[in-house]
Amino acid sequence: MSITAVILTYNEALHLERAIRSIQAFTDQIVVVDSGSSDGTAEIAQRLGAEVHTHAFVNQARQFQWALDTLDIRGEWVLRLDADEIIEPDLAREIGEKLPRLPAEVVGVNLKRKHIFMDRWVRHGGRYPLVMLRLWRHGKGRVEDRWMDEHVVVWGGRTVTFDGGFADHNLHDLSYFTDKHNKYATREAIEVLNQRLGLFARDEALSARSASFQASFKRWVKERVYNRIPFTVSATLYFLYRYIVQLGFLDGRSGLVYHFLQGCWYRFLVGAKVMELERAVAHLHDDKAAICAELSRLTGHKLVARSDTVAPTDVRDPQLAPRL
């Protein structure tokens, strides 16, 4: 089975060679979609034999879907890999051995991602395994059209899960971590406001059948339960649940840093940004176009009201098309 790996990059010189070398043994084509790096990222990719394409960045979902819709993806299977992620040797072997033997009814493969923080594996607090669909038959999957927390969804068959090592190991410092999560918080606040105000189309394709049960269940809990609780309460309760009930305290001092920043500070920041943005657009009442225009000005993200929203161009299963 031939595999095409797609990696999105922006100034990823620190990570990219490590990511590419982790997949060279079992991939037939590596495609890097860069959004204007200035640190030699493109040159590293080319030196390692990857195809490099440049495309203006809007968000992760649209950047990746652009690659699927536009580029010459030659593999029978597509692998989505972030530049700071690694496919470990045991998973590389598992993919090489099991993928050719999968029946035609299997259209997607979930991987079990681990998170490495301050060079330590975060084993507890609900952070392992994170089961996510990252490998799928070409033509049988797409990326959800969302500003944050987008997943790959598949159709036309079932999914299986491989057990080998798959790690998210970013080598940057805490300043980078907090800056990245500050930007994530803005994008997630946009999603929460859209859920509440119905500003533009919401992609509802994620399900246990189209991806993984874990991803689908966590999305349901977040949108149907967590987002309806005042953030001043929910962020604290979520951290305590992760740190005590899910045994996050067993991850040591670096684990405390991670669980507090990612499980409390970040969730509190999302809620605070939602509150700030809601107040900023309250005077616009139900004028969705005006609200989107104001949110675009405040966040720097171009948002388009529902009446002007169109579905992705390569949705081959109507059941997985975003609801307009």
Side-chain angles (χ1 to χ4, degrees):
M1 291 290 183
S2 58
I3 301 174
T4 293
V6 180
I7 305 174
L8 307 185
T9 60
Y10 177 70
N11 287 340
E12 289 288 358
L14 181 62
H15 300 112
L16 186 58
E17 181 167 352
R18 184 188 65 178
I20 290 178
R21 291 199 181 281
S22 79
I23 60 175
Q24 282 178 322
F26 65 90
T27 55
D28 305 274
Q29 179 189 23
I30 299 175
V31 175
V32 169
V33 181
D34 190 67
S35 50
S37 295
S38 58
D39 67 345
T41 292
E43 291 75 13
I44 292 171
Q46 290 168 340
R47 173 170 57 82
L48 294 171
E51 301 174 17
V52 180
H53 304 268
T54 302
H55 186 252
F57 187 85
V58 176
N59 58 39
Q60 290 281 113
R62 295 183 185 178
Q63 189 80 332
F64 201 98
Q65 192 60 45
W66 175 86
L68 294 179
D69 294 342
T70 308
L71 303 180
D72 179 23
I73 305 296
R74 298 189 293 274
E76 298 170 70
W77 290 79
V78 180
L79 171 69
R80 176 184 178 179
L81 188 72
D82 291 345
D84 60 356
E85 293 175 338
I86 313 160
I87 299 296
E88 297 179 351
D90 63 331
L91 178 56
R93 289 191 299 270
E94 186 176 9
I95 291 171
E97 293 170 2
K98 290 184 178 180
L99 204 66
R101 302 202 303 265
L102 291 178
E105 67 187 40
V106 175
V107 296
V109 178
N110 295 303
L111 305 181
K112 296 180 177 180
R113 191 175 76 171
K114 63 179 72 169
H115 192 86
I116 311 298
F117 181 79
M118 290 186 169
D119 293 325
R120 290 191 61 181
W121 178 1
V122 182
R123 296 172 179 265
H124 305 94
R127 302 308 290 173
Y128 182 79
L130 294 179
V131 182
M132 49 188 63
L133 199 148
R134 288 299 193 91
L135 183 61
W136 67 97
R137 291 190 191 271
H138 187 202
K140 294 292 186 178
R142 67 170 179 86
V143 181
E144 290 183 290
D145 187 15
R146 283 184 169 240
W147 282 94
M148 187 64 191
D149 193 31
E150 74 287 343
H151 289 264
V152 175
V153 291
V154 295
W155 56 86
R158 62 184 178 90
T159 64
V160 297
T161 301
F162 287 176
D163 295 314
F166 167 44
D168 175 352
H169 186 183
N170 193 289
L171 300 173
H172 287 295
D173 60 14
L174 276 177
S175 294
Y176 180 91
F177 179 92
T178 52
D179 179 63
K180 179 176 72 171
H181 279 75
N182 179 44
K183 294 173 182 176
Y184 284 173
T186 298
R187 287 158 47 189
E188 188 155 354
I190 290 171
E191 286 288 349
V192 174
L193 285 175
N194 188 37
Q195 178 186 355
R196 294 180 180 179
L197 304 177
L199 301 174
F200 46 86
R202 298 186 71 227
D203 199 331
E204 304 282 3
L206 181 66
S207 69
R209 184 167 175 264
S210 66
S212 74
F213 171 79
Q214 184 195 70
S216 176
F217 179 71
K218 289 175 70 174
R219 169 79 58 79
W220 184 90
V221 170
K222 183 168 71 173
E223 294 189 346
R224 301 295 180 88
V225 181
Y226 182 91
N227 286 348
R228 297 180 180 183
I229 302 172
F231 73 93
T232 51
V233 175
S234 60
T236 302
L237 291 179
Y238 178 55
F239 166 69
L240 293 175
Y241 175 71
R242 275 175 56 163
Y243 197 67
I244 298 174
V245 178
Q246 294 187 300
L247 307 181
F249 64 88
L250 294 178
D251 288 315
R253 188 165 61 174
S254 63
L256 172 59
V257 174
Y258 175 77
H259 290 300
F260 181 80
L261 289 179
Q262 205 273 338
C264 185
W265 170 79
Y266 170 67
R267 301 310 320 172
F268 195 94
L269 184 61
V270 171
K273 291 198 175 200
V274 171
M275 181 179 72
E276 178 184 51
L277 293 174
E278 278 186 324
R279 290 179 175 179
V281 301
H283 67 287
L284 299 173
H285 304 293
D286 294 326
D287 188 340
K288 291 182 173 57
I291 293 173
C292 284
E294 180 64 5
L295 291 177
S296 298
R297 185 185 71 82
L298 293 170
T299 66
H301 296 299
K302 185 177 180 181
L303 309 178
V304 181
R306 179 182 295 270
S307 61
D308 298 322
T309 305
V310 297
T313 58
D314 192 24
V315 177
R316 299 171 189 172
D317 185 334
Q319 293 181 345
L320 292 182
R323 297 177 185 174
L324 301 182

